[in-house]
Amino acid sequence: MGQAEQRVVIIGFGTAAVNALIGLRRAGYQGRVTVLTDSDTLPVSPVLISHYAGGTLPYEGVFPWTADEIAALGPDLRAGCPVLAIDPAAHEVRTEQGPVPYDKCLIATGNTPLLVGFPQVEAGAFRTLRTLADAQALRDSLARPECRRVLVSGTSMVGLKALEACLDQGVQVTLLGRSEHILKRTAVPELAARFEQALADKGVTLRLGQQAQDAARQADGTVAVTFSTDGAQGETETFDEVVIAHGMVPNLGFVPRGSMQMDQGLLVDEWMRTSDPDVYAAGDVAQALDLSCGQKRIVALWKTACLQGACAGRAMAAELAGQPLPEDARYQGSLPSNTIAVGRTTLISGGRTDAGENSTVELEEFEQGVTARICEQGRLVGFNVFAADAEPDGPVFDRGAMLRRQLLAGL
């Protein structure tokens, strides 16, 4: 079978999908690549949509690739084409527009907000922040003159970016979280507390260690939320909008149960192949090697999705050409590492930051900020760098880059 007759299908149209398409073409694959997506826009950067929601970035700024750059890769792009199911036995993807056959398939469908944990969330039509449509809806809402008070429920990175968008639009924000500190999976408590103080200094009301016990939309469109601490009912406040940021779940509902090995996501090998050798996965749906713990985990980061997509593209091209899998394309694993900023209040994290019984946390003050080194038996396993007012490209970021190199060297 010549390459012109071969069929690659990519499900999804985000960072991992585009990098897989680039990897396929750079590896010499010239056959058909059908891209199936329920979106009707170019791929966006999830990192940037909060800035669009906050009015600090124009619409065109959320797109990493232009229409011409995508077209140059030659995809058979089927926009507005939701996937119903993948049938590995038949080697086809079933869509609302009919079945699409494949020789190799990449699943790169990203994730979707987890809405559990807030009362009446199904009926409330509350805001989330994951897609461009979410960002547009939040931007429009924040721009309304009558929108003055917003509740952000969730203290992860997405919650803090939603909070920043509200602050950029001049809206009063209350931040709600069940944990005693923000960024539970990213920051050590000592530096989370410093971030919280910086948020309070910006006028943010913090309701940490609390949850919403009840929520009811009023006749005027506002939402009355009753809070509780340890099950005891507390105050009721009224908000013009509520943003839910309770985490994400991989978009894998179209994958039949038992058709591929799955845990939190699809388990993949070092070339991003699932347990079905003709189906690959990359990005927020792929459970690959996490270097910080030596286990397979989902590491939902932009750079991780880029690397995994490129790896999958090169591997598919090699297999379709009847060549050995390229050793230099082998996915080496990822190191959880991220930077979260609200304005210039910045936290850089890397590795394992959930200090356990066998861990020690070493704090060190330096110009502009403070570093936390998380060690086990004298070995660095994770770090935080925090600054309440970080200079762009200043010593905070230099310190973060240095610690990341040290962490990688010790793995």
Side-chain angles (χ1 to χ4, degrees):
M1 181 184 293
Q3 279 200 353
E5 300 172 277
Q6 292 173 332
R7 301 157 302 186
V8 173
V9 171
I10 297 176
I11 307 175
F13 197 33
T15 308
V18 174
N19 277 276
L21 185 54
I22 293 170
L24 279 159
R25 298 310 189 200
R26 288 182 176 174
Y29 177 77
Q30 298 178 4
R32 176 181 294 181
V33 182
T34 300
V35 178
L36 305 174
T37 173
D38 56 5
S39 175
D40 57 2
T41 72
L42 290 170
V44 303
S45 167
V47 178
L48 297 176
I49 61 170
S50 65
H51 298 291
Y52 175 66
T56 60
L57 188 71
Y59 179 80
E60 58 272 14
V62 304
F63 302 106
W65 298 278
T66 66
D68 289 343
E69 289 171 331
I70 295 294
L73 297 171
D76 169 21
L77 179 59
R78 303 190 187 181
C81 183
V83 168
L84 303 177
I86 182 172
D87 185 342
H91 272 63
E92 68 179 21
V93 180
R94 297 172 184 166
T95 77
E96 292 183 352
Q97 300 176 13
V100 182
Y102 67 83
D103 296 293
K104 298 289 182 182
C105 178
L106 172 68
I107 297 175
T109 44
N111 54 29
T112 194
L114 190 63
L115 294 180
V116 298
F118 198 90
Q120 303 297 321
V121 68
E122 296 84 1
F126 301 134
R127 303 296 178 196
T128 56
L129 187 58
R130 180 64 180 89
T131 67
L132 181 55
D134 292 338
Q136 183 67 64
L138 182 58
R139 179 187 176 111
D140 292 345
S141 183
L142 295 176
R144 293 185 296 116
E146 60 270 26
C147 184
R148 305 309 308 156
R149 301 188 70 219
V150 173
L151 174 68
V152 175
S153 180
T155 60
S156 66
M157 293 189 179
V158 175
L160 293 188
K161 295 309 289 183
L163 179 151
E164 181 185 43
C166 295
L167 293 178
D168 287 339
Q169 293 278 23
V171 175
Q172 297 176 6
V173 189
T174 294
L175 183 66
L176 172 66
R178 292 187 178 187
S179 299
E180 295 296 327
H181 289 292
I182 66 171
L183 300 171
K184 180 180 178 181
R185 298 180 181 177
T186 307
V188 298
E190 295 89 341
L191 297 196
R194 297 197 185 204
F195 207 127
E196 291 154 15
Q197 183 58 55
L199 293 178
D201 292 343
K202 297 177 189 293
V204 176
T205 299
L206 299 173
R207 284 188 173 273
L208 302 178
Q210 301 181 36
Q211 63 186 78
Q213 187 179 64
D214 191 23
R217 191 166 291 277
Q218 309 298 298
D220 62 358
T222 61
V223 182
V225 180
T226 300
F227 301 99
S228 67
T229 304
D230 296 328
Q233 182 172 318
E235 299 174 309
T236 298
E237 293 189 47
T238 301
F239 300 92
D240 300 302
E241 280 292 356
V242 175
V243 181
I244 307 295
H246 291 178
M248 301 286 180
V249 60
N251 290 322
L252 292 172
F254 61 93
V255 179
R257 184 181 297 274
S259 62
M260 285 166 259
Q261 291 183 1
M262 190 182 303
D263 182 23
Q264 293 179 325
L266 288 166
L267 294 165
V268 295
D269 66 10
E270 56 267 56
W271 282 283
M272 309 313 297
R273 295 178 300 184
T274 70
S275 56
D276 183 317
D278 291 328
V279 180
Y280 292 66
D284 298 348
V285 298
Q287 203 165 328
L289 179 63
D290 178 344
L291 294 173
S292 70
C293 63
Q295 299 176 355
K296 290 186 177 182
R297 296 173 57 188
I298 294 176
V299 178
L301 298 174
W302 171 270
K303 184 176 181 180
T304 299
C306 291
L307 294 174
Q308 290 180 350
C311 172
R314 290 189 59 189
M316 287 190 290
E319 289 200 316
L320 289 168
Q323 299 172 352
L325 288 165
E327 285 295 326
D328 63 341
R330 184 193 298 265
Y331 184 66
Q332 301 295 328
S334 60
L335 178 69
S337 179
N338 216 334
T339 300
I340 176 67
V342 176
R344 288 176 38 151
T345 300
T346 303
L347 180 93
I348 303 172
S349 64
R352 292 163 45 202
T353 54
D354 52 342
E357 293 182 358
N358 299 321
S359 302
T360 59
V361 178
E362 303 169 1
L363 299 180
E364 178 188 0
E365 302 279 349
F366 70 100
E367 181 186 2
Q368 279 203 3
V370 59
T371 295
R373 297 168 58 93
I374 300 94
C375 300
E376 290 183 358
Q377 298 179 342
R379 182 173 67 92
L380 183 69
V381 297
F383 69 86
N384 283 166
V385 184
F386 170 78
D389 186 20
E391 291 180 4
D393 301 320
V396 172
F397 299 94
D398 293 340
R399 183 67 62 98
M402 176 192 70
L403 286 168
R404 190 176 191 281
R405 288 193 297 270
Q406 290 180 5
L407 186 57
L408 281 169
L411 293 176

